[in-house]
Amino acid sequence: MSQKVFAGTTVDVNEEGYMTDSTQWTKEIAKEIATEENIDLTDKHLAVCEFLRDKQSKGENITIRSVGNSGIIDIKGFYQLFPGAPMKKAAKIAGIPKPASCV
Amino acid sequence: MKKLLILGGGTGGTIMANKMRHELEREEWEITVVDKEKTHFYQPGFLFLPFGHYKKQDVVKPKNNFIPNGVNFIVQLIDRIEPENNQVVLADGVVLRYDYLIIATGTRIVPEETPGLTGPLWKKSIFDFYTPEGAIALANFFKTWQGGELVLNIADMPIKCPVAPLEFVFFADAFFVERGLRNKVNISYVTPMSGAFTKPRAAKVLGALLEEKNIHIIPDFYLERIDTEGKKLVSYDEREVPFDVLITIPVHKGDEVIESSGLGDDMGFVKADKHTLQSVDYKNVFVIGDAGNFPTSKAGSVVHFQADILTENLLCAIESRPYTASYDGHSNCYIETGFGKGALIDFNYDTEPLPGLFPLPGIGPFGLLQETRMNHYGKLLFRWIYWHILLKGKEMPIDTKMTMAGKKL
Ligand SMILES: Cc1cc2nc3c(=O)[nH]c(=O)nc-3n(C[C@H](O)[C@H](O)[C@H](O)COP(=O)(O)OP(=O)(O)OC[C@H]3O[C@@H](n4cnc5c(N)ncnc54)[C@H](O)[C@@H]3O)c2cc1C
C-alpha cells in the first residue's frame, strides 16, 4: 500500500491510485484527483460521486446502469462527464474502490 | 403448522426444499415451493445447444422429479410478495402465508432494455443462448451459415455464469475449424469489462487463450443500441462494431415480482447480507442464488455453496440462535475451451482465481487456471452430478468455503 498527498492531505491509495480508505475523502481531494484525470470537477460530477459513495457505503452493486437510473444523469451524460472509462474514473474521484460488481 | 415458503423451484429452490425437508420435523413444518414452470432446465447445458453437442431433451426434466416427498409444489406465477404481512399472492389470487420465506427466483434476460436488439434482426441475425429457444434458433442458423463477422456482445454486468460467453467463443472457434470454415469466420468478443475477465490473473490467462485462438477482444464497450439497418453495435461513447451474426448476452435483471414488491435494488436483485444471506429489510426473508445482489458470480456453484450456509442460518433463525454460518463468496467454474479441453477457476469475495490443483492439493485431478482434458471431463460430468446429487441437496466432496490449499500465489 502506498500513500499520496492530495490538497495537503496524505491519503492511502492502491497500486492503481484508488483510495483505500473512503473516509479520508473530501471534495478538495476529489478536485485534485479529477485534475490528474484531466477533468474539471463540477457540481454534477460531485453529485455522481456522492451517489456512488452512498451506494458503496450500503454495500450495493455499482454499475453504469445504476448511475443511469439515479436521476442525476443519463448514461450518455455520464460518459460525457467522465470520458473514456466513466465508472473507473468516477470511482477513483469518489474515493471508493474500483467497482468489482462485475465478477 | 409452521410454514416455510420457497419462491422459485430452480437450482436454489430445489436444493433448499430437499435440505430443509431433511432438517425440519414433518409434524411441525409445512414446506411449499412455487414456480411458474413445470420443467427444470439444466442451464449450463444451453451452451452446448448451438453447436449440436446437446439436444433439447438433454437439458430438461420435470421439476416434480426433484421436489422431495412431503413438500408441496405449486405451479403458478408469483404475483406479489407482501413481506409486512408475511404473505405471497399468486397470479390466480391464492394467498400463501409464511413464517419464513426463501427467495430463489433467479435472474432473467431483458433484451428489450437495449434499443434495436429485439427489432427486425431478432432471431434472424441476433440470437441469445441464455434461453433454450434462443440457443436452438442459433443451432438452426449455424447449420447453413457460410461465414462472416461473428460478434459476441455482453450488454452489461452482472450476467449469469460470467464465463459462459468466453466458452461460447472458444466453442465457436472449434466448431468452425472442424467445419473447415474458420478462415471465413471472424470472431470478436465485445465486452463492457476491461479484459476477458475482471480479476487480473484470470484475465491474463483467458486473454492469452483468446489471442491464441485468433478471437479479437474489444474491451470497455458499453452497448447503447443496435443500428439495425447498418447491422452495427453502437456504444454510449459512439464506437461501432459491425456484425453479420450477433450473439447477445442481454441485460440481466431480477424477476419482476422483486421490483414490484420493493425488495430489490434498481436492477431488481434482492438486497441481502452477503454473508448471512438474510434480506436487509425483513428478518424472516432469506435469499439464495441469482436473485440476490451478492457481489459474486451468478452461478450454480455459488447456489450450491450458499445452500449449506442458508440451511445452517435458517435453522439458527428458527431456533432464535445467533447465525453460525457465513458465506465467503466461494465460486467454482469449469470453462470449456474447445477441442476437448477445459480450464477451471475457484475464487471468493477476497481471493481472485489462482493457478494450482483442485480439489486435492498436489493431486488434482483438476488444474486451476490451466487448459487440461480432465477439466473438460469435469464439465461433462457436472450434468450428471447436477441431476443426481446437487439438486437433491446431497453432500459433494468440495468444501463450502474456499481453501488456499493447492493454490499458488
Ligand atoms: C448458458 C448458461 C450457462 C451456465 N453455465 C454454468 C456453469 O457452467 N456453471 C455454473 O455453476 N453455473 C452455470 N450457469 C448458471 C446457473 O444455471 C444459475 O446460476 C443457477 O441455475 C441459478 O439458480 P437459481 O436457483 O438462483 O435460479 P434458477 O435456477 O434460474 O431458478 C429460478 C426459478 O424461479 C422461477 N421464477 C422466477 N420468477 C418467478 C415468478 N414470478 N413466479 C414463479 N416462478 C418464478 C423460474 O421459473 C425458475 O425456475 C449457467 C447459466 C446459463 C444461462
Side-chain angles (χ1 to χ4, degrees):
Chain A
M1 176 130 21
S2 48
Q3 293 191 316
K4 229 173 147 170
V5 180
F6 288 112
T9 316
T10 308
V11 300
D12 303 325
V13 296
N14 69 8
E15 326 72 63
E16 294 179 292
Y18 288 82
M19 286 176 62
T20 53
D21 178 358
S22 62
T23 62
Q24 296 174 333
W25 184 86
T26 62
K27 288 179 185 169
E28 289 66 42
I29 292 174
K31 210 170 172 67
E32 292 208 357
I33 304 177
T35 309
E36 281 194 355
E37 298 287 333
N38 293 321
I39 289 173
D40 202 3
L41 208 67
T42 64
D43 287 349
K44 201 89 182 161
H45 289 101
L46 275 172
V48 173
C49 289
E50 299 278 8
F51 170 78
L52 294 178
R53 290 176 59 79
D54 180 52
K55 281 225 142 203
Q56 149 78 15
S57 70
K58 291 186 192 146
E60 289 177 22
N61 290 342
I62 294 175
T63 61
I64 292 183
R65 206 161 294 269
S66 67
V67 176
N69 292 339
S70 66
I72 300 170
I73 197 161
D74 62 12
I75 300 177
K76 202 114 197 165
F78 187 37
Y79 267 88
Q80 280 153 5
L81 278 187
F82 302 92
M87 206 62 231
K88 282 178 232 161
K89 284 189 184 171
K92 200 174 222 176
I93 296 168
I96 59 170
K98 189 162 148 186
S101 63
C102 23
V103 252
Chain B
M1 280 287 248
K2 288 190 213 134
K3 291 177 165 52
L4 170 64
L5 180 57
I6 302 176
L7 302 183
T11 313
T14 305
I15 299 178
M16 288 313 295
N18 280 284
K19 284 189 176 282
M20 294 314 291
R21 188 64 290 172
H22 184 72
E23 296 289 342
L24 297 174
E25 293 290 346
R26 290 189 184 222
E27 299 76 50
E28 246 181 89
W29 283 90
E30 185 181 283
I31 304 180
T32 303
V33 177
V34 189
D35 200 297
K36 59 182 186 312
E37 302 269 355
K38 281 200 188 82
T39 307
H40 194 116
F41 294 98
Y42 174 61
Q43 299 177 44
F46 296 172
L47 168 71
F48 297 80
L49 292 172
F51 308 102
H53 300 323
Y54 285 173
K55 299 270 173 283
K56 189 166 179 194
Q57 65 262 26
D58 297 323
V59 299
V60 295
K61 287 191 198 283
K63 278 197 153 84
N64 242 327
N65 292 7
F66 307 98
I67 306 286
N69 281 335
V71 170
N72 309 320
F73 180 45
I74 301 176
V75 180
Q76 186 58 248
L77 182 73
I78 303 152
D79 184 56
R80 225 162 47 245
I81 306 171
E82 297 176 353
E84 318 74 33
N85 305 326
N86 298 315
Q87 67 184 32
V88 167
V89 184
L90 306 185
D92 59 1
V94 167
V95 177
L96 301 173
R97 298 196 49 83
Y98 61 79
D99 295 282
Y100 286 92
L101 183 71
I102 298 176
I103 300 178
T105 43
T107 172
R108 65 197 163 110
I109 59 164
V110 193
E112 299 76 18
E113 190 81 4
T114 304
L117 210 50
T118 52
L121 304 180
W122 185 240
K123 301 237 164 97
K124 295 198 178 66
S125 21
I126 302 180
F127 299 88
D128 81 279
F129 69 97
Y130 272 48
T131 59
E133 304 76 47
I136 287 164
L138 184 55
N140 288 328
F141 175 86
F142 277 159
K143 279 180 192 159
T144 54
W145 193 48
Q146 287 306 308
E149 290 292 334
L150 185 156
V151 175
L152 181 140
N153 171 250
I154 301 170
D156 201 357
M157 297 300 287
I159 60 170
K160 264 193 265 204
C161 194
V163 297
L166 278 171
E167 297 182 281
F168 184 94
V169 289
F170 292 146
F171 267 168
D173 168 64
F175 179 81
F176 291 111
V177 167
E178 278 153 18
R179 310 204 137 200
L181 279 174
R182 186 62 176 91
N183 57 349
K184 295 198 184 119
V185 178
N186 202 16
I187 305 180
S188 303
Y189 189 81
V190 183
T191 169
M193 289 177 268
S194 301
F197 200 72
T198 40
K199 309 282 176 160
R201 301 273 286 260
K204 215 169 141 201
V205 174
L206 296 167
L209 265 179
L210 286 175
E211 205 178 306
E212 192 185 304
K213 293 172 193 289
N214 198 18
I215 297 165
H216 315 288
I217 177 162
I218 302 175
D220 294 316
F221 188 98
Y222 197 61
L223 179 66
E224 180 189 8
R225 62 188 172 92
I226 304 296
D227 170 354
T228 49
E229 266 168 36
K231 273 195 158 186
K232 281 184 267 193
L233 298 159
V234 184
S235 71
Y236 278 101
D237 52 354
E238 276 145 39
R239 284 182 289 155
E240 296 183 344
V241 177
F243 63 85
D244 291 308
V245 59
L246 170 65
I247 320 302
T248 173
I249 321 293
V251 171
H252 279 56
K253 286 188 172 183
D255 194 77
E256 274 172 324
V257 71
I258 305 301
E259 243 166 294
S260 60
S261 306
L263 285 162
D265 63 12
D266 58 331
M267 297 304 280
F269 295 116
V270 185
K271 291 188 245 171
D273 185 285
K274 67 177 184 175
H275 296 299
T276 65
L277 314 182
Q278 188 183 36
S279 144
V280 296
D281 298 312
Y282 299 93
K283 279 202 154 76
N284 59 342
V285 177
F286 290 81
V287 190
I288 186 166
D290 296 353
N293 72 340
F294 309 113
T296 187
S297 294
K298 298 203 176 295
S301 60
V302 165
V303 175
H304 165 72
F305 299 130
Q306 286 181 340
D308 285 342
I309 305 293
L310 183 51
T311 302
E312 192 173 322
N313 281 351
L314 199 52
L315 290 173
C316 290
I318 288 171
E319 294 162 10
S320 312
R321 292 183 279 119
Y323 295 128
T324 49
S326 173
Y327 176 60
D328 65 352
H330 191 188
S331 179
N332 174 284
C333 298
Y334 288 98
I335 308 171
E336 286 282 16
T337 54
F339 301 103
K341 286 190 179 175
L344 175 64
I345 54 176
D346 191 62
F347 58 101
N348 70 11
Y349 288 141
D350 306 315
T351 309
E352 63 164 317
L354 296 170
L357 290 170
F358 185 85
L360 301 174
I363 298 173
F366 302 115
L368 290 168
L369 259 193
Q370 44 185 302
E371 239 194 325
T372 71
R373 277 196 186 280
M374 200 60 193
N375 289 338
H376 165 66
Y377 292 121
K379 179 104 181 186
L380 293 186
L381 199 64
F382 188 69
R383 183 165 60 124
W384 190 90
I385 293 175
Y386 184 88
W387 293 125
H388 295 92
I389 300 180
L390 194 107
L391 284 182
K392 301 198 169 147
K394 294 187 190 159
E395 289 288 319
M396 291 236 285
I398 300 180
D399 284 334
T400 298
K401 294 216 183 265
M402 198 206 73
T403 160
M404 285 307 288
K407 294 193 171 66
K408 281 181 268 182
L409 273 171

